Amino acid sequence: MDTIWILLMTPIFLCSLILCINKLSHKLKSKHRNQLPQGTLGWPFIGETIEFVSCAYTDRPESFMNKRRAMYGKVFKSHIFGSATIVSTDADVNKFILQSDAKVFVPSYPKSLMELMGESSILLINGTL
């Protein structure tokens, strides 16, 4: 009788344990997802770089930003030039970030662009420099 009880209760216990772990991990993931703006990271590794660059060679280079601004709002996430990126198209947000003297936000560029611009580029200088 004891072995039958164990055989019946073991699968029930394991299923309930798996469901609890799944529910807990979903809650933890959803908390972290809420901290980032909406958007998509595109394809693995290349992200949305191809579409971003191809829009630059059209008669409407701003179409990449306009499309995402319409879908996700003025601040959105993307994956451009090999890095996950937060893009802001809002003038007030940009002004706040650029005037913060790198105390709240540190503007940065993907590693591939930093290597192209060089470490003494004016775009890479933060703080009192």
Side-chain angles (χ1 to χ4, degrees):
M1 182 73 175
D2 288 335
T3 57
I4 294 174
W5 177 256
I6 291 173
L7 289 174
L8 288 175
M9 292 308 289
T10 302
I12 293 172
F13 174 75
L14 290 175
C15 287
S16 62
L17 182 66
I18 290 170
L19 288 173
C20 288
I21 290 172
N22 190 17
K23 195 174 213 179
L24 181 64
S25 68
H26 181 65
K27 274 187 178 182
L28 290 175
K29 286 180 185 177
S30 65
K31 283 182 182 179
H32 293 294
R33 278 191 208 136
N34 292 339
Q35 294 175 355
L36 293 175
Q38 292 182 344
T40 180
L41 298 178
W43 291 91
F45 303 111
I46 59 172
E48 297 181 308
T49 304
I50 294 172
E51 188 176 354
F52 179 75
V53 172
S54 66
C55 284
Y57 291 104
T58 65
D59 57 344
R60 292 185 32 126
E62 71 279 358
S63 63
F64 179 84
M65 297 295 174
N66 289 342
K67 178 181 173 185
R68 279 146 188 83
R69 184 177 33 222
M71 289 191 311
Y72 306 119
K74 292 182 177 180
V75 179
F76 56 89
K77 68 181 175 186
S78 185
H79 192 279
I80 304 171
F81 296 116
S83 297
T85 306
I86 303 296
V87 179
S88 170
T89 60
D90 185 15
D92 292 333
V93 172
N94 293 341
K95 181 178 178 183
F96 176 76
I97 291 171
L98 292 172
Q99 290 181 343
S100 70
D101 291 330
K103 293 176 185 170
V104 180
F105 293 100
V106 179
S108 65
Y109 293 90
K111 184 179 177 186
S112 56
L113 287 180
M114 288 193 297
E115 289 174 358
L116 285 173
M117 291 187 281
E119 55 186 55
S120 61
S121 171
I122 193 166
L123 295 173
L124 301 177
I125 295 174
N126 289 317
T128 57
L129 293 175

